[in-house]
Amino acid sequence: MRRYNPTEIEQKWQNKWEDDGTYAVDFNDMTRPKYYSLSMLPGITGAGIHIGHGRTFQFADIKARFKRQQGYNVYHPIGWDSFGLPVENYAIKVGKTPRVAHDEAKVHFKEQLKRLGFSYDWTKEISTADPEYYKWTQWIFTQLYKHDLAYQKEQLQWWCETDNTVLANEQVEGGKCWRCGNPVTKRNLKQWFFRITAYADEILEATDALDWTEMVKTMQKNWIGRSVGAEVEFTISGQDSKITVFTTRPDTLFGATYIALAPEHPLISQLVNSDTREKVEAYVQASQQKSDVERQENKEKTGVFTGSYVINPVNGQKLPIWVADYVLGGYGTGAVMAVPAHDERDFAFAEKFDLPIIQVIDKPEHSADVGCYSGEGELINSGQFNGTRSEDAREQIVAWLEQQNYGRSKTTYKMRDWLISRQRYWGAPIPIVHVDGRVPIAVADECLPVILPEVENFKPTGGNTSVLAQVDDWVRVWVDVETGKTVPITENKPDGDNWAEGRRETDTLDGYACSSWYFLRYLDPHNDNEAWNPERINHWMPVDYYNGADHAVAHLLYSRFWMRFFYKLGLVPTPEPFKRMMYNAYIMAPDGQKMSKSKGNVIDPMEIMDSGYGADALRVYEMFIAPYDMDAPWDPRGVPGTYRFLNRAWNLVQEFVDKNPSDSLDANEKTVQELLRLTHLTIKKVTRDIEEEKFNTAVASMMEMVNGLYKIKESHGIDTSDEWRFALESLIQILAPFAPHITEELWHEMGHDDTVHIGHWPKWDEKYLKSSVMTIIVQVNGKLRAKLELPSDMGKQGVEAAALADENVQKFTNNKPPKKMVYVPGRLVNIVV
């Protein structure tokens, strides 16, 4: 009998699939339903992928293979997130240019992915760092700019001293840079932004209806953070200035006992005095080392009194002004009115610093709230509004504030506009030219792409600009101020009054810009005339299945923003990019930590494959290890276990193909039915599990099927009957998405000359799923006394008679007629005595 040798068969079939174009999609095939499946765009670094990455990519691959076998026209593309900090930092480390370092690293990446047997269409591979790609990223930028959705402004920004660049709020985690893990500071810089807040409402309102992992939807809603309320103006005691606060609960205004300012608030310097200045300045400086997330999550409230007061407009009370880092400068007005009796954060702060707590909403008697009450009720201690329900008082108090010019209704968002420019070399140049005395000029379409120039020293200087600012011949250009056409400064100035000398923008685009639309370019990767063909996009979008283990907020929000913009321009058929988005968990290292090259705990899939177990055993284990949404530690014993499972399946097929047809066994009808039931049951279970993304239980079901086939073989042997052929071919077909190489080999061993991976998915028949026996629970006075295996077609009288005849049941009935018998068909008999 032929032995299973992964090393021999895997390379063979990978070469065959590539030569035959097995997984290359025909975009023009409209005879079959389409299915578009992909994982988040992989980033390029020198380390290659580890087994956690491999697992993430496999989810989309299984979906693609499954649908391909079901007869769909499937597109499963691959490309590279090539711009950005990871590549540039790696290039600095190895002493090569980013382009060379990227291209060399990509060779290893491609080898790993091909060895793992992913069914990518390699003929349509893209890279975000290719001018043919980023030409269209730049074009999208100019469209956003023309529609007032891209703009430049100066403000404080997070700055990473290690990476020498600004960071968006989403890229600061725990006060540290998301890439290097080092602490960040803030700088006042002129930066480019995308006005994502213009789409905040419609993105938020569409979120609940998405077929996305619930955790991601919640994170997106929380990040947008829409709040409907009022702005209230408090006059600073002894000054003409005012502090404006935003509150969602204007009904509690009479209960305000202090004002809390964010450490970034611009009025702090004029509120301190000689006694408080030093403490306040030290507190502000310490607060700037923390990220917004860290400040919000910190349960230990901190703050410092400024020495100044405001006047509450509704009752004339003087309220002390504090600085507290639980207030965010970028949310609302950077100031809050604190009502400790009705807000948990304010309550904790007031208790710590011994500030007054004034109840202004009557707490219902049944309320379980301790300390403060944040619910609704009738107003008390609220002047003319006493006795009014809080829900009604909100509108009435805002109306009063507006009449007195003390406030107005307002909607705010926690989400800020998308900071998109970076002071680094390795990124797509921003297609803008600056001319003194004019607004920034977008480069004309016919002059795109603005090519990133080659430079000898690309290391960031730590200044407020990228190294591109030093490339004088690139920075200086002749520009037509009306059309945006550009000519190199080294050429003669063109004729015409509109031409002027300008300076190119020297910031580059954050890598997120290039990775916010790649799923569209995948569908038309070689188009030189437009970013994509609308007719093709109309057929293939939205993406049917999308998954990843990162970027639950940033990338996914940005992609939704851009799709909505494209939708309004009539360039795409839907405002949402991804029909189904599955956010998967991580495989952790054996030490229980997240795999990281810096920690030295990553596992290279090549090592496992080269050890003799092959790609299929690794693939099967990575699906079997845990549900997709649960982190799971790597178990070194796992791959040997799945290798044994594959070996058992291999041996079953080998025994079948080695059989002589004349050796056919005369199996009884019960055995045949058992074989058919096991097969149809597993087909149904695996089909449903893949559809519902229960990949681990799909593998478990196939393992159970193999065990069941061995039991039948051991009792009755294998023959060449149609039933055994159906069972084994079905096993090969349902295993194919998980273990593509061994199944392709076995499919051909079974006598087929086509690929198992296209158009071959088995169907189950419900008639075979009905068991010939049923298990009946027998209770006496509600207590379990027996379990009976009875024919599934036995009627009520027969079941009741069998229950009464059971030896153990008779011990508890004393052989006396029961008072009553309750029969739940097919499940239970309860005998009352």
Side-chain angles (χ1 to χ4, degrees), residues 227-384:
S227 297
V228 178
E231 282 185 343
V232 184
E233 293 179 348
F234 291 77
T235 302
I236 300 172
S237 180
Q239 299 185 26
D240 292 332
S241 302
K242 295 180 179 180
I243 292 176
T244 302
V245 307
F246 172 79
T247 177
T248 59
R249 295 295 302 269
D251 50 306
T252 65
L253 187 52
F254 285 85
T257 60
Y258 67 95
I259 294 291
L261 302 182
E264 303 86 359
H265 200 285
L267 290 180
I268 289 176
S269 60
Q270 73 183 62
L271 297 172
V272 296
N273 55 42
S274 57
D275 294 331
T276 62
R277 178 173 286 103
E278 186 175 343
K279 285 185 179 180
V280 171
E281 289 178 351
Y283 182 80
V284 168
Q285 186 174 1
S287 299
Q288 289 178 344
Q289 306 306 311
K290 303 175 185 178
S291 73
D292 291 356
V293 174
E294 188 177 6
R295 283 161 57 176
Q296 289 287 285
E297 291 180 347
N298 186 15
K299 291 188 168 74
E300 182 63 31
K301 295 294 178 282
T302 64
V304 60
F305 176 47
T306 64
S308 295
Y309 296 81
V310 295
I311 306 301
N312 190 333
V314 295
N315 56 17
Q317 294 292 315
K318 289 179 68 174
L319 310 179
I321 306 172
W322 285 68
V323 181
D325 67 4
Y326 74 84
V327 184
L328 302 180
Y331 178 60
T333 65
V336 300
M337 65 171 209
V339 186
H342 304 292
D343 182 275
E344 290 184 6
R345 294 181 312 165
D346 299 343
F347 180 80
F349 191 92
E351 279 214 315
K352 179 172 180 178
F353 294 103
D354 197 25
L355 296 167
I357 299 173
I358 300 174
Q359 185 180 353
V360 292
I361 295 180
D362 197 14
K363 182 164 59 175
E365 292 182 4
H366 63 271
S367 173
D369 291 52
V370 178
C372 70
Y373 171 65
S374 57
E376 307 287 357
E378 289 189 357
L379 265 59
I380 58 175
N381 301 320
S382 298
Q384 70 267 38

Side-chain angles (χ1 to χ4, degrees), residues 42 214 493 544 551 561 755:
E214 286 300 320
K493 180 180 179 181
D544 293 282
H551 313 305
F561 164 45
T755 176

Side-chain angles (χ1 to χ4, degrees), residues 191-212:
Q191 300 287 291
W192 283 94
F193 295 82
F194 287 150
R195 206 181 303 277
I196 190 172
T197 51
Y199 287 72
D201 280 334
E202 55 184 276
I203 290 175
L204 181 65
E205 287 162 8
T207 299
D208 282 334
L210 294 175
D211 183 16
W212 289 23

Side-chain angles (χ1 to χ4, degrees), residues 381-626:
N381 301 320
S382 298
Q384 70 267 38
F385 300 101
N386 280 341
T388 307
R389 288 288 303 180
S390 54
E391 303 96 315
D392 301 325
R394 281 197 273 279
E395 291 186 17
Q396 294 178 22
I397 290 177
V398 171
W400 183 88
L401 290 169
E402 289 177 339
Q403 290 172 358
Q404 305 299 318
N405 291 321
Y406 286 136
R408 65 208 62 84
S409 60
K410 183 79 172 180
T411 299
T412 66
Y413 302 88
K414 188 168 71 174
M415 179 174 69
R416 308 267 58 88
D417 279 340
W418 174 9
L419 169 61
I420 196 62
S421 54
R422 297 292 180 268
Q423 293 69 47
R424 297 291 294 239
Y425 164 72
W426 189 239
I430 295 176
I432 288 289
V433 176
H434 300 278
V435 174
D436 291 340
R438 290 183 173 272
V439 298
I441 300 166
V443 174
D445 293 355
E446 60 263 40
C447 297
L448 298 177
V450 177
I451 299 290
L452 184 68
E454 296 289 337
V455 297
E456 291 184 8
N457 185 3
F458 60 89
K459 294 181 181 179
T461 62
N464 292 352
T465 59
S466 75
V467 298
L468 291 176
Q470 302 167 15
V471 188
D472 188 64
D473 286 350
W474 180 85
V475 173
R476 296 171 58 221
V477 292
W478 300 114
V479 60
D480 184 324
V481 297
E482 296 296 328
T483 66
K485 291 181 181 178
T486 58
V487 173
I489 198 69
T490 53
E491 298 182 11
N492 292 329
K493 180 180 179 181
D495 295 332
D497 295 336
N498 290 336
W499 289 91
E501 182 175 336
R503 302 175 310 282
R504 291 194 187 279
E505 174 62 58
T506 58
D507 282 356
T508 54
L509 288 169
D510 178 38
Y512 273 130
C514 290
S515 63
S516 291
W517 71 282
Y518 70 96
F519 44 87
L520 295 169
R521 187 62 179 175
Y522 267 150
L523 292 169
D524 206 357
H526 306 307
N527 192 334
D528 295 329
N529 300 316
E530 53 191 344
W532 58 79
N533 179 288
E535 289 185 12
R536 185 175 295 174
I537 296 295
N538 286 342
H539 176 72
W540 283 92
M541 286 297 290
V543 175
D544 293 282
Y545 179 84
Y546 190 60
N547 80 288
D550 292 295
H551 313 305
V553 172
H555 160 63
L556 292 173
L557 268 179
Y558 301 158
S559 295
R560 296 180 68 196
F561 164 45
W562 279 23
M563 274 292 287
R564 277 181 153 64
F565 173 64
F566 301 148
Y567 182 68
K568 290 182 189 304
L569 295 184
L571 299 175
V572 296
T574 64
E576 290 291 345
F578 313 118
K579 185 176 180 180
R580 168 63 180 155
M581 192 278 149
M582 190 195 89
Y583 193 79
N584 56 274
Y586 296 103
I587 288 185
M588 315 301 281
D591 59 10
Q593 299 185 68
K594 184 179 176 181
M595 288 190 188
S596 167
K597 186 183 179 185
S598 62
K599 296 176 183 176
N601 61 1
V602 299
I603 298 172
D604 188 339
M606 301 286 271
E607 295 177 8
I608 296 172
M609 292 186 284
D610 289 340
S611 68
Y613 292 116
D616 286 339
L618 173 58
R619 287 175 59 111
V620 172
Y621 178 59
E622 293 213 278
M623 292 298 98
F624 182 61
I625 191 171

